[in-house]
Amino acid sequence: MNQLIAPEGLANVVVADTEIGDVRGDEGFYHYREHSAIDLARTRSFEEVWYLFVHGALPDAHQLTQFRTTTAQLRPLPDELAGLLRASALLGDGRDTLAGLRTVLSAAGPALGVAPLWESDADSIRHDSMRVAAMTPTILAALHRIRSGEDPVEPDPELPVAANWLYQLTGRRAPDEHVRAVEQYLIATIDHGFNASTFTARVIASTGADIHAAVCGALGAFSGPLHGGAPDRALDSLDEIARHGDATAWAREQIADRRRIMGFGHAVYRTVDPRSELLREIALGLGGPTVERAVEVERQVVDVLREAHPDQPRYANVEFYAGVVMDACGVPRSMFTPTFAVSRVVGWCANIAEQARSRKIIRPRARYVGPAPR
């Protein structure tokens, strides 16, 4: 029997229908429903775009006020998780925060009595998804502060998501320009097609498991350095280049040694990553020596990549300037990827809710290439 062989990594294989959004890699464009994601990041608040992912349309003023109140009330954690939160914070080092988030979110499911998706109606799934997304920044900030020897900061229901995230993380009210810069980053990274973590979330959701299980699975995929774990590594590369003294020579050495240059290239985009363009603008608005160095390094590295791969140009991706922006806003380097998770969990939850409407489990096949059975 002839078998259809999928390309490596399932590249360009359509595995589902979605109303959430799409990425047009050849055009350098992506959208959330009918709205340009970058336009939303330029003109809307995070809560407005979060509402879009939950309800399928942008809110009016009354709906937005209600949504802000509801989601702010979902930020606190159950008291039963306090001991587990502290224990999780003390495991590993600063780069293990996502592992702690997985642990605490996994335990939060039964603590809150979350039912499997298979047994839940649309309203229950919507509420559970909003609560998971609202709790995530609280857990991440608490893990960071406990690991740093500080007490967690309770969420402030009067602050919007981005301002509250920076407040819980640092214990201080951030300047408006930092809040808006982080908010625009969060909006731009809520969703981005069927990436590895989103696909993982949908596979788990298709089994009928609860939403916490699906989000925890997505977090496992997201933690990899080829996926969400790149913003801090991109800034590490900037530091390495500064020590080296010559970005062009450094980039050529990386290519000669067949090392991946973090912050450049993308699995989907064949032109400039629109998120990188937005974040470059934000970074330039914030200013500072790191920003100036990043802009010059980007130019030199792109030139080297074009020289090495003339038929496959590679540009700075979202991770390159994400680290630069977050560094300028006072986010600790170990919390770059967790900040990414603060936004992406909203996209995962929307995909989980959409997948839950189907009653069919995702069950592809593998092609056996081992020794013949006896």
Side-chain angles (χ1 to χ4, degrees):
M1 182 178 68
N2 292 330
Q3 296 184 14
L4 295 175
I5 308 302
E8 187 175 12
L10 298 181
N12 297 316
V13 174
V14 175
V15 295
D17 293 330
T18 182
E19 299 177 351
I20 294 170
D22 191 25
V23 181
R24 300 179 185 174
D26 292 338
E27 301 172 36
F29 174 79
Y30 71 113
H31 58 98
Y32 303 154
R33 294 191 69 88
E34 68 269 38
H35 306 279
S36 159
I38 297 301
D39 286 350
L40 290 172
R42 293 187 190 282
T43 62
R44 299 286 184 160
S45 69
F46 183 82
E47 285 81 358
E48 287 177 285
V49 184
W50 185 1
Y51 186 98
L52 172 68
F53 274 82
V54 173
H55 295 285
L58 290 168
D60 59 30
H62 176 68
Q63 290 169 329
L64 180 59
T65 298
Q66 282 192 319
F67 187 75
R68 281 175 169 159
T69 300
T70 300
T71 53
Q73 291 172 345
L74 296 173
R75 292 172 183 167
L77 306 181
D79 293 338
E80 304 94 303
L81 298 180
L84 179 62
L85 185 69
R86 186 161 294 276
S88 299
L90 300 178
L91 295 174
D93 59 27
R95 293 192 188 237
D96 293 321
T97 308
L98 289 185
L101 174 62
R102 292 200 305 269
T103 300
V104 178
L105 271 183
S106 180
L112 294 166
V114 176
L117 295 163
W118 186 259
E119 301 168 5
S120 301
D121 59 25
D123 288 340
S124 297
I125 293 171
R126 186 179 301 113
H127 177 268
D128 290 344
S129 72
M130 290 162 57
R131 182 167 55 188
V132 167
M135 288 171 50
T136 292
T138 301
I139 297 170
L140 288 169
L143 290 169
H144 169 72
R145 290 185 65 82
I146 292 169
R147 183 175 284 128
S148 302
E150 300 174 298
D151 291 329
V153 175
E154 289 297 314
D156 186 340
E158 299 302 316
L159 291 177
V161 170
N164 184 68
W165 166 242
L166 292 173
Y167 170 63
Q168 287 198 272
L169 196 60
T170 66
R172 301 182 302 276
R173 301 294 178 99
D176 290 344
E177 61 268 25
H178 290 179
V179 170
R180 182 55 183 160
V182 170
E183 180 174 52
Q184 289 182 283
Y185 167 71
L186 293 176
I187 294 169
T189 53
I190 289 176
D191 187 67
H192 203 248
F194 263 45
N195 53 76
S197 57
T198 297
F199 184 47
T200 301
R202 292 188 72 124
V203 170
I204 296 172
S206 79
T207 72
D210 68 63
I211 194 166
H212 287 247
V215 169
C216 287
L219 282 165
F222 189 71
S223 64
L226 298 186
H227 192 8
D232 55 333
R233 289 172 172 83
L235 204 61
D236 290 345
S237 294
L238 270 181
D239 291 342
E240 190 177 330
I241 291 168
R243 290 190 296 270
H244 186 286
D246 186 334
T248 297
W250 177 87
R252 286 175 176 155
E253 290 170 9
Q254 303 306 301
I255 292 171
D257 293 339
R258 302 182 68 82
R259 296 196 197 106
R260 176 165 178 156
I261 301 177
M262 288 299 184
F264 290 85
H266 194 272
V268 176
Y269 289 117
R270 295 297 173 262
T271 182
V272 175
D273 186 335
R275 301 168 300 174
S276 179
E277 289 188 311
L278 171 71
L279 291 169
R280 185 196 298 112
E281 291 176 19
I282 295 170
L284 288 169
L286 294 169
T290 301
V291 174
E292 294 173 6
R293 188 167 75 249
V295 172
E296 180 59 23
V297 164
E298 179 197 12
R299 183 187 65 78
Q300 294 181 57
V301 171
V302 168
D303 285 346
V304 171
L305 289 170
R306 186 181 294 112
E307 174 187 283
H309 308 284
D311 297 329
Q312 294 180 313
R314 300 175 189 183
Y315 305 94
N317 58 37
V318 65
E319 284 86 8
F320 183 76
Y321 279 106
V324 174
V325 168
M326 285 187 275
D327 181 68
C329 292
V331 177
R333 192 170 300 196
S334 63
M335 297 303 289
F336 288 0
T337 299
T339 301
F340 197 167
V342 167
S343 63
R344 187 52 62 86
V345 69
V346 171
W348 292 332
C349 286
N351 275 276
I352 291 165
E354 185 176 66
Q355 186 64 46
R357 297 203 294 266
S358 170
R359 309 300 274 181
K360 183 75 172 178
I361 192 170
I362 296 175
R363 177 61 169 88
R365 294 178 61 185
R367 179 169 63 105
Y368 178 71
V369 295
R374 297 180 181 179

